[in-house]
Amino acid sequence: MRLCLTFILAAWFGAGITTHAQTPSVVQNASGMRLVVASENTYPTLRIILPGHPNSDRAIEVIFPEHVTVRKHGETEGKHLFLFQPGQQGDRPAWRQVSQSLQYEKDFAGGLHMLARATLEDDGVRLHYEFVNRSKASYEMIYAPTDPRLTSIFHDVRLERTYVHGKDGFDLLASETPGRLTMPLDQWLPARYLASFTWPVPPKRVEKRDDGITYYNKSHSVDEPLVATVSTDGKWVVASFTRTTGNVWSNPELTCQHVDPQIPLAPGASAAMETKILVFPGSLDEVLKKVTAQRQTLE
C-alpha cells in the first residue's frame, strides 16, 4: 500500500480470447463448507460457501490474487505482471483439484513461475503462492495480494464489525474515526483504513490523495497481522491473517481484508507466502486462539 509504483500491466490470459476450460469439482469439508471456482470471472476467483448456502452465494469471494507486482534489485518502482479484471476476459487458468485444494500455475514474462493453491481446511481456507525465479534477475519484492471481498451478512461498509488486535486486545479498525458512522456515504467513500504491523505508523492520520481516495491511518500499530469481520447476526466470523506483513487494511466499500506479505527472490531460487482466511461460527476470542496456534505454520 505504501509503494510508489509505476504499474505496467502485462498480458496474462491472452488478448480477449475466452476459452471454456473445465473447472474442478467442488471441494467440501466435514462441516459442509465448500470452496468453488467462481464461473463469472475468467481471472482466478474463488468462493467460500457457508454450509447450507448455494454454490452461487457470493458472501465471501476471493480474488486470487488481485495482482502480481514485482520490483527488481536496483529499481525504485514496481511493475504489475498481472492485474485482476472482472468478467469474461481472456483465458481461464488450468484449474486442478488435488485432494482438498484447488490450484493453477502460471508463467510470467521474464522467467517467473507461480503456483497458486487454495486448500479448504476445517476452519477456513489456506492460500499459498509459490514463486520460482528461472531468470538471472534478482527481485527485491514479489507481491501477490489476496483480496477477500465480503457481502451479505459480512458486508461492513462503515467498519462497525471489523476488528484488529493491539496490546489492549481487539479494537475496531476504524475506532478512531467515529464520524464515519454518521457522515454521508459519498463523504466516507471511497476510503482505505490502515493499521501498521511492522511498518512505522505514518505521521498523517488522514490523507486525501490525488486518486480521490481518503486514506485513514490508525495512530498505533497492531500486534497481530490480522483483520476480522463479524457477521451481522454475531454468529460467524471471517478473519484473514498471515505470518508477517507491513500493514493490515480494508477498503470498507468491499469490506476486503488485506494482510498481504511480500518476499524477495534471488536468481534461480524459489519462495512461498501464505494467507489463511478463517471462516467459522464463533467469537473474536476464538479467532485469536486460532491465529496464535496457526500463524507460525504459515509460510
Side-chain angles (χ1 to χ4, degrees):
M1 281 297 296
R2 296 180 188 162
L3 297 170
C4 180
L5 300 174
T6 299
F7 294 130
I8 299 176
L9 175 61
W12 188 0
F13 296 123
I17 302 173
T18 301
T19 62
H20 300 284
Q22 184 177 2
T23 55
S25 302
V26 174
V27 178
Q28 182 169 313
N29 66 14
S31 71
M33 187 182 299
R34 281 154 288 150
L35 181 66
V36 303
V37 176
S39 61
E40 72 275 9
N41 297 324
T42 50
Y43 282 44
T45 311
L46 299 168
R47 289 205 188 100
I48 304 171
I49 312 297
L50 300 183
H53 289 234
N55 286 347
S56 59
D57 185 84
R58 300 180 63 176
I60 309 171
E61 192 165 83
V62 183
I63 310 303
F64 182 51
E66 184 180 10
H67 59 83
V68 175
T69 301
V70 301
R71 188 180 68 245
K72 292 182 180 179
H73 179 74
E75 296 180 345
T76 58
E77 297 179 339
K79 297 179 181 179
H80 272 333
L81 300 183
F82 161 71
L83 177 64
F84 171 79
Q85 299 292 322
Q88 302 296 310
Q89 303 188 53
D91 294 344
R92 293 186 184 278
W95 287 99
R96 296 176 57 221
Q97 180 178 347
V98 180
S99 185
Q100 289 293 95
S101 299
L102 301 177
Q103 65 182 50
Y104 67 92
E105 299 185 51
K106 178 59 193 173
D107 288 311
F108 296 102
L112 194 63
H113 178 81
M114 180 183 76
L115 166 67
R117 180 173 65 239
T119 303
L120 183 63
E121 299 180 344
D122 290 341
D123 57 0
V125 177
R126 183 179 296 237
L127 300 134
H128 173 98
Y129 301 99
E130 184 171 342
F131 288 89
V132 179
N133 185 1
R134 297 170 177 167
S135 75
K136 296 181 179 180
S138 178
Y139 291 96
E140 290 185 348
M141 179 201 73
I142 296 180
Y143 184 43
T146 300
D147 186 10
R149 301 179 177 185
L150 308 183
T151 65
S152 183
I153 62 173
F154 298 109
H155 196 222
D156 187 21
V157 71
R158 294 190 187 271
L159 300 181
E160 298 175 84
R161 293 172 282 103
T162 296
Y163 295 84
V164 292
H165 193 276
K167 62 182 179 62
D168 296 324
F170 279 101
D171 180 30
L172 287 171
L173 172 62
S175 63
E176 298 174 341
T177 311
R180 77 194 187 283
L181 300 175
T182 55
M183 70 173 66
L185 279 179
D186 61 356
Q187 295 179 25
W188 167 234
L189 303 175
R192 307 289 186 268
Y193 217 109
L194 305 91
S196 295
F197 180 59
T198 60
W199 289 346
V201 175
K204 290 185 177 180
R205 290 278 306 281
V206 181
E207 182 181 2
K208 186 69 172 285
R209 299 190 184 176
D210 292 339
D211 57 9
I213 300 172
T214 303
Y215 288 75
Y216 297 86
N217 294 299
K218 209 165 181 64
S219 65
H220 57 83
S221 61
V222 295
D223 63 2
E224 295 286 352
L226 161 71
V227 179
T229 301
V230 178
S231 62
T232 53
D233 61 8
K235 295 180 179 179
W236 286 84
V237 63
V238 176
S240 299
F241 69 98
T242 190
R243 190 182 183 98
T244 189
T245 188
N247 64 5
V248 302
W249 60 276
S250 179
N251 171 353
E253 189 169 8
L254 301 174
T255 318
C256 58
Q257 299 178 342
H258 279 280
V259 296
D260 310 295
Q262 302 173 9
I263 55 172
L265 193 58
S270 62
M273 49 188 167
E274 292 185 328
T275 295
K276 175 71 177 283
I277 303 177
L278 294 168
V279 184
F280 66 95
S283 66
L284 291 174
D285 287 341
E286 290 172 285
V287 167
L288 185 59
K289 290 178 182 178
K290 288 177 179 291
V291 171
T292 301
Q294 299 180 28
R295 181 178 155 202
Q296 296 306 316
T297 71
L298 298 178
E299 295 192 61

